[in-house]
Each structure stands twice: as structure tokens, then as C-alpha cells.
Amino acid sequence: MVKKKACVFISGTGTNLRSIVKNSRDYNFPIKICLVISNNRKAKGILFAKKFSIPYFCLNTNRYKFEKIIFQKLIENKIDIICLAGFMKILSKKFIRNFKGKIINIHPSLLPKYKGLNTFQRVLKFKEKFTGCTVHYVDEKLDNGKIIIKRKVSINTKDNASTLKKKVQFEEYKAYPNAIRKIFQM
Ligand code: GRF
């Protein structure tokens, strides 16, 4: 099968990158990760790119320069889809418009609830019974685009931010690949 070309944007540990890469090695998975972009040279996730021999590019500069250079890289590499996976820089409206319908993100809550940062602390504070993760299209508003997939986890009284993060991330590793399969109708 002809796989779509994907680029994963990271800033940190890159465990979602790892899960997408592992899934993408399956012949039937619809995308191939052709490029990893990081705005943080020290991002641990870069080690996964190295381990799996995926070309990567790190660039820590202001948003204008970052997007100008990255835009060229994405065009040169004929990237069809951009997967944000723990990417902590907010992309400009212009950049998002240029790749309309081609950028997806994973967020650690059941959107539209708990947009933004510190989701685990906030769900605990509001004594939620459930939380989870959401894969969604990126539009011009933060954590707002059309939802592709959600996965739910239950919260028990012993949970703290760290146990919750582990539980949610475990679901993320299934949610992201499944969302990609769903987009390309596999
Ligand atoms: C994930 O929990 C994701 O939901 C959030 O950032 C975290 C990234 O983790 N957007 P990793 O870098 O994939 O390990």
C-alpha cells in the first residue's frame, strides 16, 4: 500500500511518537513517519527518532522563524499529515490555515472538558469520576478542533496526578494510532 507521509512534532519524552512509530511499521498502517520535528534539542523523544532511523530536525527559535523554516521542510518532504504529540509551542493561525485539516493533536482529557495545561490536577480538584484522552483535528483555537477519537479511564480515590497520567498515557498509545487508522478509514 502507498502510505501517507507524516511528520510528528514533539517537545518532550516522545512516548506517543514511539507508539505511532511502532504501529507504523505494520504494512497496513496508513502512514509512514518521514520526519520528526522538535522545538527542544534536549527532547528525549529525539532518541526514538534516532533509534528508528527517522530523519529529525530541532529548532529552538521564535515562532515566526520556526514556522518559516519548518514550512519549507514540510513541503520539501511532501508531508501529508502533521501529528502533534506533546508539542508545547502554539502554532500560528497562518500556519494552521496552511495545513488546514492536516494537523492532529492528542490532549490528555476528554475534550471539550479541561482544555489547556495541568489537566490531571484539575480533574482531581473537580472530583471527576472519569477522564481520558482525545485525538482531534487542530483548528485556530486551542484544543478545539473536530474530535476523532476519545478513550476514557476511571478515576479512583487513590489516584493522584502521577497515577492518572500513567493511566491516561496508556490509553493514548492506543488512541493515537487508532485515530490515524480512522482518518484514513482502515
Ligand atoms: C501526552 O500526555 C499528550 O496528551 C500531551 O503531551 C503528552 C506528551 O507525552 N499533549 P509524550 O511526549 O508523547 O511522552
Side-chain angles (χ1 to χ4, degrees):
M1 73 176 296
V2 181
K3 294 193 178 211
K4 299 281 181 193
K5 293 182 168 195
C7 175
V8 181
F9 282 29
I10 60 165
S11 300
T13 49
T15 56
N16 278 284
L17 166 66
R18 181 182 58 193
S19 119
I20 302 168
V21 172
K22 285 195 167 167
N23 278 273
S24 72
R25 294 160 101 194
D26 177 346
Y27 175 81
N28 289 312
F29 197 72
I31 64 168
K32 176 178 165 47
I33 314 296
C34 299
L35 186 63
V36 171
I37 302 263
S38 175
N39 63 325
N40 169 15
R41 275 173 218 290
K42 292 187 178 153
K44 265 191 173 175
I46 293 166
L47 297 176
F48 295 126
K50 286 187 183 164
K51 183 173 167 196
F52 295 109
S53 307
I54 301 168
Y56 62 91
F57 184 71
C58 303
L59 183 61
N60 183 7
T61 181
N62 65 55
R63 186 162 81 178
Y64 179 76
K65 276 193 200 159
F66 178 88
E67 291 186 352
K68 199 171 172 208
I69 295 167
I70 296 309
F71 180 83
Q72 284 309 323
K73 293 257 168 213
L74 295 169
I75 299 300
E76 275 163 30
N77 284 277
K78 299 191 167 59
I79 295 299
D80 299 300
I81 181 160
I82 297 168
C83 304
L84 307 183
F87 182 65
M88 299 307 286
K89 217 175 166 85
I90 293 179
L91 296 166
S92 71
K93 292 184 175 163
K94 187 180 170 204
F95 187 92
I96 292 168
R97 274 199 297 268
N98 277 325
F99 293 98
K100 195 168 185 281
K102 292 182 174 175
I103 312 178
I104 60 175
N105 179 44
I106 188 153
H107 182 75
S109 77
L110 296 172
L111 289 174
K113 290 177 102 175
Y114 301 100
K115 295 178 178 185
L117 297 173
N118 303 318
T119 55
F120 307 118
Q121 288 85 345
R122 288 187 287 139
V123 296
L124 289 168
K125 189 174 165 200
F126 285 94
K127 303 205 182 313
E128 296 283 0
K129 298 264 184 299
F130 297 96
T131 187
C133 60
T134 307
V135 183
H136 63 97
Y137 285 100
V138 172
D139 71 9
E140 292 168 19
K141 292 186 195 144
L142 186 70
D143 301 327
N144 182 72
K146 188 176 170 228
I147 290 169
I148 304 160
I149 267 183
K150 294 193 213 192
R151 286 184 77 95
K152 210 170 171 183
V153 302
S154 53
I155 303 175
N156 61 49
T157 48
K158 287 185 184 151
D159 273 319
N160 55 43
S162 149
T163 59
L164 213 47
K165 181 176 174 184
K166 271 197 191 138
K167 289 205 284 197
V168 169
Q169 287 202 324
F170 183 75
E171 294 306 317
E172 289 187 345
Y173 306 147
K174 295 179 231 165
Y176 220 147
N178 283 345
I180 293 166
R181 286 189 189 93
K182 190 173 171 190
I183 289 173
F184 297 102
Q185 302 283 318
M186 303 297 296

